[in-house]
Amino acid sequence: MRETFWDKNKRTVCNLGLVAVIFLALVAIELFAPSTSMWFSVLRKVCTFSLAAVSMNLLNGFTGLFSLGQAGFMLLGAYTYAIFTIPSEARVSVFRNYGTSVIDFQMPLIPALLIAGVVAAFFAFLIGLPVLRLKSDYLAIATLGFAEIVRGLVQLQQFGPVTNGPDPINKFTSPDNVLVYAGITGVCVLLIVLLINSTYGRAFKAIRDDEIAAEAMGINLAHHKRLSFVTSSFFCGIAGAMLAMCNTSVSAVTFTSSMTYQILLVVVIGGIGSVSGSILAAFIYYSSSEWWLKFLDVETFTQAGTKVPLLGPGFRMVVFSVLIMIVVLFFHKGMLGSREMSVYDGFMKIRRLFCRKQTAKTEGGEQA
């Protein structure tokens, strides 16, 4: 029997339908939600850290390289984007402690994003030459050290005419439209998925599974590791630029090692080796920590005037940490493991479960 178009592409069609539904939901939020709604700030942050998590997953999950330098590459992208998108007339006030900026022109949004990624990728190429010879924890420590070095250098007075020293950078281009963030993230994630499904992606997975076997098959380990490292850093730089757009201000104190640990936590919760898992985990993580559990930080009193126990500043993170521990305990490989989310497969599982229940009811009625 000849397969139809639906039989060959049913999973792809269902997943594209899910993407279309998400896009329509974002359009509805943009058009009808009040301007003060938390949806806007949360979704912008979700889009930003979804891209950061997927780019980290490309390196850690699909190539098997344990890197902790994501905050450093995001810092490079954020500073690059901010410096290139400040209007010329605002540079004097932004760089008032250093006379003026070395760069005296403004770039459009998309070229500035691309340059932010290129700068991060360039530094990744340089740092990758020596550190990619290391493995496991040693590579993680080396990349973490690189992130801290970059964070310290951009705050030096000597680089003030370029980075504004320890002072924050503001007045750069910062769009508020959620669809802009979703579009940037969607295009970048699509490119990462295409790379993963290409011959290069298969080489990355072979290196992750067994380096000796991969080398025996003719895979150039140094070249493919460097390619994965540079590509991941490129998209981390774009994510850093998006974070600058979210915060409307760039300061080195934002890009601490704890940011890298947050991204790593999102990757682990979603599933190491799952792109859709990283996106789903980023939505749950930042929606919960930034919005859904925020009521736990508010001191609440009963009608008798007594304070409700535990509720108050900081309790939100206690509950949030307990929830994370529960997820890790019950999902040892993350929510999706190394699998990808499939609307069609989920529908078929629900259908089979419903059919089994109907069959059990029918057999029970016949026996009665």
Side-chain angles (χ1 to χ4, degrees):
M1 185 176 179
R2 190 174 182 180
E3 285 187 325
T4 63
F5 175 82
W6 167 253
D7 293 329
K8 294 180 179 179
N9 303 279
K10 50 193 174 185
R11 288 178 174 80
T12 303
V13 172
C14 289
N15 290 334
L16 289 176
L18 176 62
V19 172
V21 170
I22 293 173
F23 175 77
L24 292 175
L26 292 175
V27 172
I29 291 172
E30 188 67 43
L31 293 176
F32 302 111
S35 58
T36 56
S37 174
M38 282 293 294
W39 272 112
F40 295 105
S41 61
V42 168
L43 287 177
R44 287 195 291 266
K45 188 162 284 190
V46 167
C47 291
T48 299
F49 284 99
S50 291
L51 177 57
V54 172
S55 62
M56 188 179 195
N57 215 342
L58 171 65
L59 190 62
N60 291 26
F62 289 96
T63 316
L65 299 177
F66 188 29
S67 170
L68 292 177
Q70 278 67 27
F73 297 118
M74 290 179 70
L75 180 148
L76 291 170
Y79 268 87
T80 302
Y81 173 82
I83 291 168
F84 279 105
T85 57
I86 300 174
S88 299
E89 61 275 10
R91 291 184 180 273
V92 175
S93 61
V94 174
F95 294 88
R96 56 187 176 274
N97 294 331
Y98 303 94
T100 184
S101 172
V102 172
I103 300 170
D104 195 20
F105 60 89
Q106 182 183 11
M107 295 188 67
L109 175 69
I110 300 301
L113 284 171
L114 293 175
I115 291 179
V118 168
V119 169
F122 173 73
F123 279 91
F125 176 79
L126 294 181
I127 193 65
L129 291 175
V131 304
L132 289 179
R133 300 174 184 271
L134 304 174
K135 295 182 180 180
S136 188
D137 300 340
Y138 299 100
L139 175 61
I141 294 171
T143 51
L144 182 62
F146 163 77
E148 292 300 314
I149 290 171
V150 170
R151 192 166 69 91
L153 287 176
V154 297
Q155 299 180 78
L156 293 178
Q157 295 282 348
Q158 290 85 343
F159 295 106
V162 179
T163 64
N164 210 24
D167 301 322
I169 299 178
N170 48 30
K171 298 185 180 180
F172 52 85
T173 304
S174 299
D176 294 328
N177 196 315
V178 173
L179 296 177
V180 173
Y181 293 82
I184 296 170
T185 301
V187 171
C188 292
V189 170
L190 176 61
L191 294 175
I192 293 174
V193 170
L194 291 175
L195 176 64
I196 292 171
N197 292 327
S198 68
T199 54
Y200 289 103
R202 289 191 285 273
F204 295 160
K205 295 174 185 176
I207 293 172
R208 175 196 63 188
D209 294 337
D210 193 327
E211 288 192 9
I212 297 175
E215 190 172 22
M217 292 168 59
I219 295 174
N220 188 327
L221 297 184
H223 172 71
H224 284 86
K225 285 182 178 181
R226 194 180 306 118
L227 177 62
S228 177
F229 190 62
V230 170
T231 304
S232 173
S233 302
F234 173 83
F235 290 110
C236 267
I238 295 179
M242 292 173 63
L243 184 60
M245 291 158 51
C246 287
N247 296 338
T248 67
S249 178
V250 174
S251 179
V253 297
T254 305
F255 299 90
T256 60
S257 56
S258 63
M259 176 181 289
T260 299
Y261 302 145
Q262 286 181 7
I263 300 171
L264 178 61
L265 181 60
V266 169
V267 172
V268 172
I269 291 175
I272 298 177
S274 173
V275 173
S276 53
S278 295
I279 297 173
L280 178 62
F283 176 77
I284 295 174
Y285 182 93
Y286 289 100
S287 297
S288 301
S289 61
E290 300 283 338
W291 185 11
W292 295 339
L293 299 178
K294 217 166 186 178
F295 69 95
L296 296 173
D297 281 348
V298 180
E299 292 187 351
T300 307
F301 296 87
T302 63
Q303 293 182 348
T306 58
K307 182 180 179 299
V308 177
L310 299 179
L311 292 183
F315 187 61
R316 166 180 52 128
M317 296 310 298
V318 174
V319 176
F320 183 64
S321 301
V322 171
L323 293 177
I324 291 175
M325 292 174 63
I326 292 173
V327 171
V328 173
L329 286 172
F330 286 93
F331 298 91
H332 300 293
K333 294 184 178 180
M335 292 187 295
L336 293 182
S338 58
R339 297 174 288 106
E340 298 295 345
M341 187 187 304
S342 173
V343 178
Y344 178 80
D345 292 340
F347 172 76
M348 293 303 295
K349 286 180 181 179
I350 295 173
R351 181 180 177 184
R352 285 194 294 268
L353 180 62
F354 179 77
C355 291
R356 281 199 295 268
K357 289 184 177 180
Q358 289 293 103
T359 303
K361 287 182 179 179
T362 303
E363 292 177 351
E366 290 176 355
Q367 290 176 0

